[in-house]
């Protein structure tokens, strides 16, 4: 969470910094700010809200310079105010920070008791420490500061005494050193920088000094280190909105291609060989793909498997070890809880496999084996194409590359084309409701969890997903007349069961919507039916999720919500 960028070049870098911040905005959009080395020294400009608010502030008074840093914030310590916006400044130092300094309060008490702070942030403590430890050598100040910090950080640093050097330091938060045709940059994500020529990742407690002519990376002892640049890049499908109003819709439309590319890229290897049991660990939507994966491993491969939420798993002292295959799923490859869970699994001797969309990310790098999804860069906070690409990997792992799987991209395309307009109309009906329920059994339940998350994440309506048979054990009391209940039915063997549950809610006045595999549509009664292509029950989550995504999108749109950047959220969750 939080995006940082910095550049040193030969001409004014402010345009690049602002463009980069727009690409990093998915990491947080509570506030934004820049600091530029001008002829008159370092100038800071900060604004609450999006980069557009910062640009507005810069419109009539844009400082220029060849060395600058920038930040887009997702608030962790301190409210969303201009005083808490980065960059922060103390003495001769100005810095932007992504991460959390866990011992900030203790450091404040130890080093700065009684001193005035202009913000409530942990970052200001870091900048003050840099200034406190500075005796003319910035590298030494960074080393001494890092030596007392606990937590995670990626820092872009300016020192008043060094108008020709951009400093960077990292531990536990991603930070890339990027050379381009025009200059040298640091960024939380390579996608923030135009035309990268080489990308190098700072490992824990490494720091870097970038000048217009050279980059030097140091280890924590201050010794220069030679590092190989990363080879893989994010493999963008498209970085613009492709003519759509929102990234989310553009990304929904890219799903057939994301799945096609992913299927083509998964190696023909039996990754689950020798596994006595499989535990899939992830957060949010990635966890929801794990629910599908686990069910497939058990029902098709007959290997004991279950999915766990990473933030629970990491503190649960799980019963895993040699013989367990732990699969970690993450779009960003940075999610703090998933990364911690991966490290725990390795400590316990389990074999680890990561399914990740961002090459070079921490989870991709640290796992024993990795399968990259090929969804390309995903910008909308609500994931769509990455979810679909993750599902595609689970299909390859559990079923192998079958012919039916090869036809899945086309089926996803049909699901979009046949449901887009219908979902827009359904959404108008849903937008006026307080509570929405998703129900289904087995894989239909797994995909319903995702549909419900999508709905609440971007429309802010209360939405819950339940195993269809579980409703009458309590939740049915919430079903009021007119409440939408969305049932997914793609498996004929359990159709009559879910149909009965739908009758039960209908009897209590619910407005019933069914998402049905085409050949089952006539076999289940509802107020409204949406159909998805017949791909068989095992692959059905990939097509059933499409109307759920579209309904969520159009409901959020009807309610005037900020679709790509829902309130309180960020794309990568790098705090626990
Ligand atoms: O980057 P990750 O896949 O690890 O992120 C996990 C979740 O934060 C993410 O899937 C989240 O739930 C989505 N915003 C949901 O749309």
């Amino acid at each position: 969470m939080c995006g940082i960028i910095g550049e040193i070049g030969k001409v004014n870098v402010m345009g690049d910094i602002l463009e980069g911040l727009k690409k990093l905005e998915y990491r947080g959009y509570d506030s934004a700010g820049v600091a530029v080395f001008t002829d008159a020294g370092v100038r800071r400009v900060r604004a609450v809200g999006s980069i557009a608010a910062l640009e507005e502030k810069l419109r009539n008074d844009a400082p220029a310079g060849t060395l600058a840093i920038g930040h887009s914030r997702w608030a962790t310590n301190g409210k969303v105010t201009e005083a808490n916006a980065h960059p922060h400044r103390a003495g001769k130092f100005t810095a932007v920070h992504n991460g959390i300094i866990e011992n900030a309060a203790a450091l404040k008490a130890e080093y700065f008791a009684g001193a005035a702070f202009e913000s409530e942030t942990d970052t200001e403590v870091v900048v003050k420490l840099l200034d406190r430890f500075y005796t003319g050598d910035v590298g030494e100040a960074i080393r001494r500061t890092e030596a007392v910090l606990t937590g995670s950080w990626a820092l872009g640093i300016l020192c008043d005494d060094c108008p020709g050097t951009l400093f960077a330091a990292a531990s536990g938060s991603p930070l890339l050193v990027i050379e381009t045709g025009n200059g040298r940059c640091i960024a939380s994500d390579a996608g923030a920088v135009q035309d990268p020529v080489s990308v190098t990742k700072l490992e824990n407690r490494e720091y870097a000094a970038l000048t217009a002519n050279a980059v030097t990376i140091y280890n924590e002892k201050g010794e220069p280190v030679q590092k190989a640049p990363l080879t893989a890049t994010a493999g963008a499908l498209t970085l613009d909105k492709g003519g759509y109003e929102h990234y989310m819709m553009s990304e929904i439309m890219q799903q057939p291609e994301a799945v096609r590319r992913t299927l083509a890229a998964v190696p023909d290897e039996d990754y689950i060989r020798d596994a006595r049991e499989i535990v899939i660990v992830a957060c949010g939507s990635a966890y929801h793909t794990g629910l599908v994966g686990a069910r497939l491993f058990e029902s098709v491969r007959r290997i004991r498997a279950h999915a766990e939420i990473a933030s629970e798993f990491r503190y649960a002292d799980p019963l895993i070890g040699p013989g367990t295959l732990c699969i970690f799923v993450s779009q960003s490859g940075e999610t703090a809880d998933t990364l911690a869970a991966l490290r725990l699994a390795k400590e316990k001797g389990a074999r680890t496999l990561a399914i990740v969309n961002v090459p070079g990310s921490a989870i991709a790098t640290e796992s024993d084996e990795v399968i990259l999804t090929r969804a390309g860069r995903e910008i909308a906070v609500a994931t769509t194409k990455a979810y679909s690409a993750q599902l595609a990997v689970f299909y390859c792992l559990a079923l192998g590359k079958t012919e039916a799987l090869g036809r899945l991209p086309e089926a996803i395309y049909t699901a979009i084309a046949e449901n887009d307009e219908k979902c827009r109309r359904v959404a108008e009906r849903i937008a006026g409701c307080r509570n929405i329920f998703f129900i289904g059994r087995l894989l239909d339940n797994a995909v319903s969890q995702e549909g419900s998350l999508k709905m609440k994440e971007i429309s802010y309506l209360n939405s819950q997903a339940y195993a269809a048979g579980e409703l009458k054990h309590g939740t049915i009391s919430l079903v009021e007349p007119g409440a939408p209940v969305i049932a997914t039915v793609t498996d004929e063997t359990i159709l009559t069961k879910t149909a009965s549950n739908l009758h039960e809610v209908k009897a209590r006045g619910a407005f019933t919507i069914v998402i049905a595999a085409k050949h089952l549509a006539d076999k289940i009664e509802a107020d409204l039916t949406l159909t998805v292509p017949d791909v068989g029950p095992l692959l059905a989550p990939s097509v059933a999720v499409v109307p759920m995504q579209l309904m969520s999108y159009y409901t959020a749109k009807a309610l005037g919500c900020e679709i790509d950047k829902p309130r309180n959220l960020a794309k990568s969750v790098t705090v626990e």
Side-chain angles (χ1 to χ4, degrees):
M1 332 195 77
C2 297
I4 73 171
I5 187 162
E7 180 170 0
I8 178 151
K10 296 203 165 86
V11 294
N12 182 15
V13 296
M14 278 303 287
D16 289 350
I17 294 285
L18 287 172
E19 278 315 301
L21 281 180
K22 285 180 197 159
K23 304 211 176 96
L24 290 173
E25 213 177 3
Y26 73 89
R27 302 176 69 89
Y29 32 83
D30 289 333
S31 63
V34 290
V36 195
F37 233 116
T38 69
D39 294 341
V42 173
R43 268 207 55 202
R44 274 190 299 170
V45 182
R46 301 176 293 169
V48 168
S50 64
I51 311 300
L54 177 67
E55 278 186 312
E56 191 50 44
K57 255 191 148 171
L58 288 166
R59 193 177 305 281
N60 297 321
D61 176 21
T66 55
L67 170 55
I69 51 179
H71 189 268
S72 62
R73 177 171 189 241
W74 188 84
T76 50
N77 279 280
K79 290 183 284 295
V80 179
T81 60
E82 188 170 320
N84 287 334
H86 299 220
H88 289 283
R89 188 163 164 78
K92 291 186 167 180
F93 285 83
T94 310
V96 288
H97 168 218
N98 166 34
I100 289 196
I101 307 304
E102 288 165 0
N103 59 341
L107 291 169
K108 239 178 174 177
E110 184 177 346
Y111 291 96
F112 306 109
F117 276 73
E118 65 171 41
S119 78
E120 302 156 317
T121 66
D122 49 348
T123 308
E124 197 181 349
V125 181
V126 179
V127 195
K128 275 189 155 39
L129 283 169
L130 286 166
D131 196 56
R132 165 72 61 97
F133 293 139
Y134 179 61
T135 55
D137 176 350
V138 177
E140 187 200 3
I142 292 174
R143 289 195 301 277
R144 290 187 61 191
T145 301
E146 288 194 308
V148 298
L149 298 180
T150 58
S152 61
W153 56 91
L155 294 161
I157 304 163
L158 303 180
C159 172
D160 288 1
D161 290 344
C162 308
T165 312
L166 167 61
F167 297 95
S171 188
S173 294
L175 191 57
L176 304 170
V177 174
I178 302 166
E179 304 212 30
T180 72
N182 301 324
R184 299 185 159 77
C185 305
I186 55 164
S188 306
D189 172 344
V193 173
Q194 193 78 27
D195 302 326
V197 174
S198 93
V199 178
T200 310
K201 187 165 183 255
L202 285 190
E203 300 301 338
N204 285 351
R205 292 184 188 258
E206 287 180 341
Y207 64 95
L210 291 73
T211 66
N213 302 315
V215 172
T216 315
I217 298 177
Y218 301 90
N219 63 20
E220 64 186 301
K221 294 187 203 138
E223 300 157 342
V225 288
Q226 295 300 324
K227 294 180 61 109
L230 303 174
T231 45
T233 61
L237 269 174
T238 164
L239 281 188
D240 60 28
K241 293 181 189 162
Y244 296 97
E245 194 183 342
H246 298 101
Y247 282 110
M248 183 178 174
M249 184 51 94
S250 165
E251 289 163 4
I252 287 173
M253 297 296 173
Q254 290 170 42
Q255 290 182 108
E257 183 59 10
V259 169
R260 193 190 61 71
R261 286 190 187 196
T262 300
L263 291 174
V266 178
D268 283 317
E269 203 179 304
D270 188 5
Y271 284 89
I272 63 170
R273 64 183 183 275
D274 311 328
R276 279 207 306 274
E277 61 160 355
I278 300 173
V279 183
I280 304 167
V281 188
C283 301
S285 297
Y287 164 72
H288 295 154
T289 67
L291 294 175
V292 175
R295 187 83 51 218
L296 293 175
F297 290 136
E298 286 210 345
S299 61
V300 180
R301 300 291 294 262
R302 306 309 288 167
I303 298 176
R304 199 151 21 103
H306 70 281
E308 290 246 14
I309 292 170
S311 55
E312 295 282 302
F313 176 88
R314 64 182 289 194
Y315 294 114
D317 193 13
L319 269 178
I320 54 169
T324 315
L325 171 62
C326 286
I327 304 181
F328 298 87
V329 192
S330 176
Q331 187 285 128
S332 62
E334 276 183 32
T335 302
D337 285 316
T338 311
L339 180 59
L342 163 65
R343 290 176 179 157
L344 175 72
K346 288 181 81 171
E347 258 171 53
K348 286 183 173 274
R351 204 178 114 221
T352 58
L353 167 65
I355 300 174
V356 175
N357 197 42
V358 178
S361 57
I363 294 172
T365 319
E366 293 191 27
S367 181
D368 296 332
E369 293 170 287
V370 62
I371 298 177
L372 291 174
T373 47
R374 306 292 168 149
R377 231 165 99 89
E378 195 176 57
I379 307 281
V381 166
T383 181
T384 52
K385 60 177 181 169
Y387 170 89
S388 289
Q390 290 159 0
L391 279 189
V393 175
F394 277 118
Y395 292 135
C396 292
L397 296 182
L399 312 173
K401 292 191 184 174
T402 63
E403 245 179 69
L405 190 51
R407 290 194 299 270
L408 195 58
E410 184 61 30
I412 296 173
Y413 174 81
T414 307
I416 297 172
E418 291 185 351
N419 285 293
D420 188 34
E421 179 53 25
K422 286 184 200 156
C423 287
R424 196 182 57 70
R425 281 186 271 120
V426 179
E428 281 163 16
R429 167 77 173 71
I430 292 178
C433 300
R434 286 197 311 173
N435 296 309
I436 301 162
F437 303 89
F438 286 78
I439 60 170
R441 287 168 184 260
L442 303 176
L443 289 176
D444 292 335
N445 175 27
V447 69
S448 294
Q449 302 295 326
E450 174 60 8
S452 171
L453 176 63
K454 214 89 300 173
M455 180 62 81
K456 69 183 126 203
E457 185 177 20
I458 58 169
S459 75
Y460 314 149
L461 295 178
N462 180 36
S463 160
Q464 296 298 333
Y466 293 96
E470 189 63 13
L471 217 54
K472 58 177 141 329
H473 295 285
T475 310
I476 201 163
S477 66
L478 294 174
V479 175
E480 299 168 322
V485 177
I486 303 169
T488 300
V489 185
T490 61
D491 183 346
E492 191 156 14
T493 62
I494 43 172
L495 176 134
T496 54
K497 309 294 172 200
T498 305
S500 309
N501 301 132
L502 212 51
H503 284 139
E504 288 156 12
V505 292
K506 182 72 201 163
R508 282 145 185 94
F511 174 66
T512 54
I513 301 169
V514 158
I515 298 173
K518 215 163 235 166
H519 74 291
L520 301 179
D522 293 339
K523 299 185 178 166
I524 184 158
E525 255 177 66
D527 294 319
L528 209 145
T529 301
L530 300 166
T531 60
V532 289
D534 288 321
V535 291
L538 298 179
L539 301 183
S542 286
V543 286
V545 77
V546 167
M548 296 175 184
Q549 296 166 340
L550 291 168
M551 275 190 279
S552 306
Y553 174 85
Y554 285 118
T555 305
K557 193 164 173 206
L559 291 167
C561 298
E562 178 80 88
I563 292 181
D564 285 334
K565 293 184 280 178
R567 69 183 178 209
N568 304 338
L569 289 167
K571 184 75 179 158
S572 342
V573 183
T574 54
V575 292
E576 62 171 298

